[in-house]
């Protein structure tokens, strides 16, 4: 039994529409998600509330250990500022210069230690320089090789007057430090710096990095 041409035409059109719908659904399902879509917020697992320091669950075991050491220093009856500035120098360098655990170039490390009035410029400069080529890893599919800081050495700590905006600190801390990376391929990356910390209420805050 032969179908009439009009029936055949209708069947062909119906099949084409079905194919278009199926292909459309497959394409939508497999489209990469945009970076600006809402991502689950990272949990804070520990903090030193008085100083505003927070530890997020995504941090490495090594950083978590440093955080516990900092917490111990800050809980002592008499605060040893030399130990304090030495530890936050170590933590800042490890967190800022380690890129492997960062989800995107906007995920800048070490921000807990930066002076609040300098933070905006600090973030812009970081994203335009050291963090500029960090690919997004929001959905855990990045293949990019990125550095991890290995050992940090605090080489010298001195105190001197320092002015930042309207804030003047007669006993700001100037710290010189160096560090290594876990992989030789990053040996040419920056491995030394001078940091300046000022007294900011009860805490010490970073105002200069060079």
């Amino acid at each position: 039994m032969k179908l009439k041409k009009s029936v055949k035409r209708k069947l062909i059109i119906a099949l084409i529409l079905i194919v278009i719908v199926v292909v459309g659904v497959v394409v939508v399902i497999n489209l990469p998600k945009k970076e600006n879509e809402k991502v689950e917020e990272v949990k804070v697992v520990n903090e030193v509330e008085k100083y505003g320091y927070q530890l997020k669950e995504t941090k490495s075991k090594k950083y978590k250990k440093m955080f516990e050491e900092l917490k111990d220093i800050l809980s002592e009856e008499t605060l040893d500022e030399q130990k304090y500035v030495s530890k936050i120098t170590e933590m800042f360098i490890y967190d800022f210069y380690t890129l492997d655990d960062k989800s995107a170039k906007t995920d800048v490390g070490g921000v807990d230690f930066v002076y609040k009035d300098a933070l905006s410029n600090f973030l812009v400069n970081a994203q335009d320089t050291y963090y500029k080529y960090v690919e997004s890893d929001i959905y855990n599919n990045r293949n990019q090789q990125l550095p991890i800081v290995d050992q940090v050495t605090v080489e010298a700590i001195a105190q001197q007057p320092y002015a930042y905006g309207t804030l003047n600190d007669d006993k700001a801390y100037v710290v010189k430090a160096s560090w290594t990376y876990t992989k030789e391929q990053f040996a040419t990356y920056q491995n030394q710096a001078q940091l300046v910390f000022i007294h900011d209420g009860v805490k010490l805050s970073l105002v200069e990095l060079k």
Side-chain angles (χ1 to χ4, degrees), residues 159-209:
Q159 284 186 282
Q160 65 182 45
Y162 189 91
Y164 185 88
T166 58
L167 193 153
N168 291 284
D169 189 345
D170 292 334
K171 294 184 177 180
Y173 283 93
V174 180
V175 185
K176 292 182 179 179
S178 61
W179 60 94
T180 58
Y181 295 97
T182 56
K183 293 183 180 180
E184 186 64 27
Q185 71 187 93
F186 300 110
T188 58
Y189 279 47
Q190 183 178 351
N191 60 10
Q192 57 184 356
Q194 177 175 288
L195 305 88
V196 178
F197 293 88
I198 58 172
H199 290 87
D200 175 21
V202 297
K203 67 192 292 187
L204 292 169
S205 295
L206 180 69
V207 291
E208 184 178 300
L209 171 68

Side-chain angles (χ1 to χ4, degrees), residues 67-200:
F67 191 92
E68 289 296 336
E69 292 168 348
L70 174 62
K71 198 169 183 178
D72 289 342
I73 291 169
L74 297 177
S75 64
E76 291 177 1
E77 188 173 340
T78 302
L79 178 63
D80 186 330
E81 284 197 341
Q82 293 271 332
K83 287 167 63 176
Y84 174 26
V85 77
S86 179
K87 183 54 62 178
I88 60 176
T89 295
E90 180 186 6
M91 293 174 72
F92 172 82
I93 288 172
Y94 182 86
D95 197 23
F96 181 76
Y97 290 100
T98 292
L99 299 180
D100 186 69
D101 63 348
K102 305 305 186 289
S103 61
K105 76 170 190 176
T106 54
D107 183 18
V108 178
V111 295
D112 275 356
F113 308 107
V114 178
Y115 183 51
K116 58 185 180 297
D117 291 346
L119 184 57
S120 180
N121 285 337
F122 171 78
L123 290 172
V124 171
N125 290 334
Q127 292 169 32
D128 286 344
T129 55
Y130 192 67
Y131 281 70
K132 186 173 183 178
Y133 299 106
V134 176
E135 297 173 1
S136 173
D137 193 33
I138 292 175
Y139 301 105
N140 300 311
N141 57 358
R142 182 174 62 201
N143 295 316
Q144 186 180 22
Q145 293 293 307
L146 294 168
I148 301 172
V149 171
D150 187 13
Q151 297 297 323
V152 180
T153 302
V154 174
E155 298 177 344
I157 300 174
Q159 284 186 282
Q160 65 182 45
Y162 189 91
Y164 185 88
T166 58
L167 193 153
N168 291 284
D169 189 345
D170 292 334
K171 294 184 177 180
Y173 283 93
V174 180
V175 185
K176 292 182 179 179
S178 61
W179 60 94
T180 58
Y181 295 97
T182 56
K183 293 183 180 180
E184 186 64 27
Q185 71 187 93
F186 300 110
T188 58
Y189 279 47
Q190 183 178 351
N191 60 10
Q192 57 184 356
Q194 177 175 288
L195 305 88
V196 178
F197 293 88
I198 58 172
H199 290 87
D200 175 21

Side-chain angles (χ1 to χ4, degrees), residues 41-76:
E41 189 174 343
V42 178
K43 292 180 182 178
V44 173
V45 294
N46 202 348
E47 64 180 329
V48 185
E49 190 173 350
K50 181 180 178 181
Y51 291 82
Y53 299 137
Q54 295 185 332
L55 178 64
K56 295 180 179 178
E57 63 179 349
T58 52
K59 295 301 182 186
S60 67
K61 289 182 179 179
K62 187 170 183 176
Y63 187 85
K64 288 175 180 176
K65 182 175 184 294
M66 286 189 281
F67 191 92
E68 289 296 336
E69 292 168 348
L70 174 62
K71 198 169 183 178
D72 289 342
I73 291 169
L74 297 177
S75 64
E76 291 177 1

Side-chain angles (χ1 to χ4, degrees), residues 12-30:
I12 291 170
I13 292 172
L15 286 171
I16 291 172
L17 289 174
I18 291 170
V19 171
I20 290 172
V21 171
V22 171
V23 170
V25 170
V26 171
V27 169
V28 170
I29 290 173
N30 289 282

